[in-house]
Amino acid sequence: MKQTLFATGDTIFAPATAPGKSALAIIRMSGPLVCEALVRLCGFLPEPGKLTLARVRDHAGDPLDQAMAVYLPGPRTATGEDVGEFHLHGSPAIIAAVSDELRRGGLRLAQPGEFTRRAVLSGKMDLTQAEALADLVDAETDEQRKQAMFQLYGSVSGPVTQWRDRLADALALFEAALDFSDEGDVDESALCGLAAGHVVDVLDEMRRALTAASFGERVRDGFSVVIAGPVNAGKSTLLNRLACREAALVTAVPGTTRDLVEVRLDICGYAVRLVDTAGLRETTDYVESLGIQRGAEEARHADCLVWLVPARTVSTESVADARRKNPNTIVVGSQLDLGGAPANMSTLLDVCISARTGTGLDELVEVIATRLALRRKPEGLILTRARHSQAIGEAVTALTPVADRVARGIDPVEIALCAEDVRLALHHLGEITGHVGAEQILDRIFGAFCIGK
């Protein structure tokens, strides 16, 4: 998206409510022409901060709607600019007519995410909070909502800002050691020691954050839960039961499922991609063998593997083999309604179910949710996007040589190298919150927003 489309001197407008017929519709405006637009359509400027009843008219004086209007003077607004809103009746014809009048007055339709982009550029929020706002709008589960709210209140930007502050202190100490090294009363080694302490501590914290990075991304994008096991173990029946619909074909014929069957579920607040796979067996059917291979690959990389085996055929060997396939395996004894379960079943299996009758399904759902929750690391910082992890990873790469020099003792000739490495790490961390010039990052983030946000 070109820079000219985001000219900050323009006054923008956009519907802030979903399209279609509704009781109410809101049109938002932001920019220097807000006052003029309100006066032209309402006949007066509403008192700042108060919803005011107004008869909205077009340029010929004909009434368009009886609505509520609000004027919020900058800079104490979401965008830092003058902001105005029309609260209209939710008729598409009214929205179109008011939009035409705003265009006639020199306003233009906002680009996706342009309101939030202006908030970032005016310092009302940083990039991680803007991303959190987008995640909050898109949240489909309770855990996604909670994570977005935590990030909106600074769960990412707070720790990153602290790292930047401490590295800025380290940089200042390294620079002081360089600038005043010829002063007799300046202890160069002491300055470098203090700087090194900041660097080593921050580096350790960033490395711990990276080990927990996948959890936040999974909460946002969805966990992969794969159902696997031998043929005719009830995998497709279980998928259908959990999905509350006939998503997969179920027959008594072995090898009915030949490809991956996926459904999206909310399991105890976690967004889950539940995958049914082809039953494992020796086969000469080429298509079925391809499906088995694809299922095995999904099982290896699953966040949680639900290994289904008929309770009446379970054995110590089969359970041990199942747990080797994925460290996050839940071994489930199925088809309890058919009987024949061994006496030691409870010591071999994590859960016992009957997908046909529903027995044990609530317990299975709780076990899956518990396994997913256990993937959260104890550290407070949860990274929600790949770009966060990439930036921190690059900062770690920049700081690692500093830590190596610290371990063997910083040579005076290496102080300048240490300062440059810290400066580079600061740049990478600044990309996370938007404290460095990165126009391409802004375009990528706000291009995914809805118009009017």
Side-chain angles (χ1 to χ4, degrees):
M1 195 169 294
K2 294 181 179 179
Q3 173 82 7
T4 54
L5 295 180
F6 284 107
T8 54
D10 293 350
T11 301
I12 57 175
F13 77 93
T17 46
K21 293 181 180 179
S22 60
L24 295 173
I26 299 174
I27 292 182
R28 305 175 65 196
M29 303 174 288
S30 180
L33 296 181
V34 165
C35 291
E36 181 180 324
L38 287 167
V39 171
R40 189 160 42 80
L41 272 70
C42 299
F44 64 94
L45 183 64
E47 183 179 348
K50 290 188 177 181
L51 276 170
T52 305
L53 183 65
R55 182 166 292 182
V56 179
R57 299 179 182 272
D58 64 14
H59 63 284
D62 295 328
L64 298 177
D65 193 18
Q66 181 166 286
M68 304 295 288
V70 64
Y71 167 56
L72 302 170
R76 298 179 62 184
T77 63
T79 62
E81 305 172 322
D82 285 354
V83 170
E85 290 182 354
F86 292 107
H87 293 234
L88 309 160
H89 290 99
S91 158
I94 293 174
I95 297 171
V98 172
S99 297
D100 287 343
E101 288 302 314
L102 293 175
R103 289 191 187 91
R104 184 183 294 270
L107 284 72
R108 67 167 172 82
L109 186 65
Q111 296 293 326
E114 191 167 2
F115 284 91
T116 309
R117 183 183 183 119
R118 292 189 176 195
V120 171
L121 294 176
S122 64
K124 299 297 182 178
M125 61 173 62
D126 62 35
L127 280 183
T128 64
Q129 292 171 313
E131 289 170 325
L133 190 58
D135 290 346
L136 188 60
V137 171
D138 292 337
E140 296 178 340
T141 71
D142 199 43
E143 288 297 325
Q144 289 175 329
R145 176 192 62 79
K146 289 177 182 178
Q147 179 167 284
M149 286 299 299
F150 283 134
Q151 184 173 334
L152 186 60
Y153 287 122
S155 66
V156 173
S157 58
V160 171
T161 299
Q162 291 177 12
W163 291 342
R164 293 184 74 247
D165 289 344
R166 288 152 68 189
L167 290 179
D169 290 341
L171 179 59
L173 290 166
F174 280 132
E175 295 284 4
L178 282 172
D179 294 340
F180 303 106
S181 58
D182 56 346
E183 300 289 337
D185 57 346
V186 174
D187 189 340
E188 182 181 281
S189 62
L191 291 175
C192 290
L194 290 173
H198 289 308
V199 169
V200 171
D201 289 346
V202 170
L203 184 59
D204 182 58
E205 292 174 18
M206 287 195 295
R207 284 171 172 163
R208 290 203 305 268
L210 287 176
T211 64
S214 63
F215 182 84
E217 293 180 42
R218 287 292 191 274
V219 170
R220 177 177 177 266
D221 299 330
F223 290 88
S224 170
V225 176
V226 174
I227 305 173
V231 294
N232 285 7
K235 298 183 296 298
S236 297
T237 303
L238 175 60
L239 179 89
N240 292 341
R241 189 77 183 220
L242 293 176
C244 299
R245 62 184 176 90
E246 296 297 314
L249 184 63
V250 176
T251 74
V253 179
T256 298
T257 301
R258 294 187 168 201
D259 204 352
L260 307 178
V261 180
E262 302 180 10
V263 295
R264 296 280 296 187
L265 297 180
D266 178 345
I267 292 185
C268 298
Y270 293 107
V272 165
R273 170 177 159 264
L274 187 65
V275 184
D276 180 24
T277 61
L280 300 182
R281 67 167 180 170
E282 296 293 331
T283 179
T284 58
D285 187 296
Y286 177 69
V287 176
E288 185 180 356
S289 65
L290 289 180
I292 293 173
Q293 291 175 19
R294 293 187 65 184
E297 186 68 17
E298 283 285 324
R300 276 194 296 273
H301 299 290
D303 296 303
C304 179
L305 175 62
V306 177
W307 185 266
L308 219 62
V309 57
R312 63 186 182 278
T313 65
V314 67
S315 66
T316 303
E317 293 76 15
S318 63
V319 170
D321 181 63
R323 297 195 189 280
R324 281 194 295 269
K325 296 181 183 299
N326 187 305
N328 297 306
T329 297
I330 301 172
V331 183
V332 181
S334 65
Q335 301 174 345
L336 277 182
D337 53 301
L338 299 182
N344 65 339
M345 181 178 61
S346 60
T347 62
L348 293 175
L349 305 171
D350 297 305
V351 188
C352 300
I353 67 166
S354 168
R356 189 178 303 278
T357 66
T359 301
L361 291 189
D362 289 343
E363 183 183 357
L364 173 59
V365 168
E366 290 178 4
V367 172
I368 293 173
T370 300
R371 289 293 179 90
L372 297 180
L374 287 175
R375 299 200 56 172
R376 182 194 298 267
K377 303 296 181 182
E379 287 77 9
L381 176 60
I382 297 178
L383 306 176
T384 62
R385 296 184 183 238
R387 78 171 194 91
H388 301 166
S389 302
Q390 180 179 350
I392 293 176
E394 289 171 344
V396 167
T397 299
L399 292 180
T400 299
V402 182
D404 293 340
R405 296 183 195 112
V406 170
R408 68 173 186 268
I410 298 178
D411 189 287
V413 300
E414 295 179 322
I415 298 176
L417 296 176
C418 291
E420 186 58 33
D421 289 336
V422 172
R423 190 176 290 109
L424 182 58
L426 281 167
H427 175 85
H428 290 310
L429 291 179
E431 291 178 339
I432 298 175
T433 55
H435 288 93
V436 296
E439 192 65 29
Q440 69 278 14
I441 296 177
L442 294 176
D443 289 341
R444 187 166 65 249
I445 291 172
F446 295 113
F449 272 64
C450 57
I451 293 175
K453 198 61 185 163

